[in-house]
Amino acid sequence: MPKKINWGIIGLGSIANTFARDLVRSDKAKLYGVASRDPEKAQKFGKKYKSVKNYGSYEKLAKDPEIDVVYIATPHTLHFENTMMCLQEGKAVLCEKPMGINSKEVETMIEEARSRNVFLMEAIWTRFIPGTEKVLELIRNNQIGDIISIRADFGFKADTNPESRLYNKKLGGGSLLDIGIYPLYLSLLLLGTPVQVKAVARMTKTKVDSYCAMLLDYANGAKAVLESTVEARTPTEAFIYGTKGTVKMHFPFHHTKRISLFQNNKQASKVYHVKYKGNGYYNEIEEVNNCLISGKTESDKLPPSVSMDLIRMIDRVKQEIGLRYDTER
Ligand SMILES: NC(=O)c1ccc[n+]([C@@H]2O[C@H](COP(=O)([O-])OP(=O)(O)OC[C@H]3O[C@@H](n4cnc5c(N)ncnc54)[C@H](OP(=O)(O)O)[C@@H]3O)[C@@H](O)[C@H]2O)c1
């Protein structure tokens, strides 16, 4: 039996738990090590998900020679230093979104990975969700004609605690980086890089965006109308309008299990139910396992160049709304 890919996890918070539950479903992967700033937390997490080693230090995990790939699950502003540390130890990295808080960080991370010939991918699980594959298939098969516009939103009501990850500027707070990234990624996936980006936002007392509305204009005339907010629950749906029909990605569009196709101005002509395994992170995990098993340093479906295009779009929105993190001054 071939050797399993040994995974490490850094930062044992909310998403690390959800991710670990999917990681243990993979036959190709083994949860080898987990690292927290708090040794007791690492012990508890490790016991729960049957990790071989539990570290009270991120550095020690990065130096463990048995670990093949590290999943970075810390707040946005720490992705850069945590990823760089792992890459410099020769570890492959799956880094949570956004890969960095600006283009400069992401560019440096990609250069580091490429110079060391080490795998690097941003954890945009949406790309590997079967529902997303179905949408791409419908568009490829000309079911809706040419895309003329996209409308997508992502909103939920978060706790307004100024110290929380979503409101605290030091941790990369704001709706744009946390969830606005999903409608932006969908537009990038389907339409590429826009020629023009316009945006307005409502800023919190902590000076991050609690609401962000974005308008993208494309060279071929296509448009995207996107929204993100941590102030209210919004439909969290995506509509892709084409010259022949419309595709709707039902709630929650970024990991949808239901897609409706509308043609000839009629009610939904077809509804597709597209299931996935576990919490939705399984396919992303398998992509990393398969890349590592076949010796690839970049995923074909989600290469670092796409993360670069995405963060450049985010930077353009940040500039429009006057959002700057402390380390960017
Ligand atoms: N793909 C997805 O669906 C998805 C969903 C949610 C979040 N995310 C991404 O995952 C990342 C983490 O989000 P989360 O919701 O899991 O956050 P979280 O619950 O706050 O966990 C983050 C963890 O990072 C570690 N950490 C290190 N330095 C920290 C600091 N100064 N303050 C707070 N925590 C610190 C902590 O782990 P230790 O105490 O163990 O060191 C903490 O538990 C974010 O970048 C977010 O964008 C992705």
Side-chain angles (χ1 to χ4, degrees), residues 12 14-15 36-37 41 58 76 78-79 97 165 281:
L12 308 179
S14 166
I15 191 63
S36 168
R37 295 162 302 167
K41 191 177 170 191
Y58 296 172
H76 314 333
L78 294 163
H79 292 174
K97 35 62 56 178
R165 188 174 71 69
Y281 301 93

Side-chain angles (χ1 to χ4, degrees), residues 174-309:
S175 78
L176 172 66
L177 259 53
D178 203 64
I179 51 178
I181 192 168
Y182 288 110
L184 277 171
Y185 173 69
L186 185 70
S187 303
L188 178 64
L189 177 67
L190 300 179
L191 291 171
T193 297
V195 285
Q196 207 183 354
V197 174
K198 290 199 178 292
V200 288
R202 185 163 36 250
M203 305 302 273
T204 64
K205 284 187 186 137
T206 54
K207 299 202 164 42
V208 298
D209 66 292
S210 51
Y211 172 86
C212 185
M214 300 160 265
L215 266 180
L216 314 183
D217 196 5
Y218 286 86
N220 67 357
K223 319 284 177 215
V225 183
L226 316 173
E227 266 183 311
S228 63
T229 180
V230 290
E231 293 172 336
R233 162 81 183 257
T234 68
T236 311
E237 295 169 339
F239 293 84
I240 302 138
Y241 303 106
T243 47
K244 281 171 50 178
T246 296
V247 162
K248 175 179 175 181
M249 300 170 80
H250 290 257
F251 170 89
F253 84 86
H254 63 302
H255 58 112
T256 191
K257 287 183 177 168
R258 189 151 65 103
I259 292 153
S260 296
L261 174 67
F262 302 79
Q263 286 167 318
N264 308 320
N265 266 340
K266 292 199 182 115
Q267 288 296 314
S269 46
K270 265 188 191 154
V271 178
Y272 301 92
H273 295 274
V274 195
K275 288 187 190 152
Y276 55 72
K277 204 167 172 174
N279 301 307
Y281 301 93
Y282 176 82
N283 296 71
E284 168 187 84
I285 290 165
E286 287 303 79
E287 174 72 8
V288 177
N289 288 332
N290 291 335
C291 284
L292 296 183
I293 288 165
S294 59
K296 286 167 79 168
T297 55
E298 298 190 359
S299 154
D300 292 334
K301 288 187 175 176
L302 189 56
S305 58
V306 168
S307 297
M308 200 63 235
D309 291 341

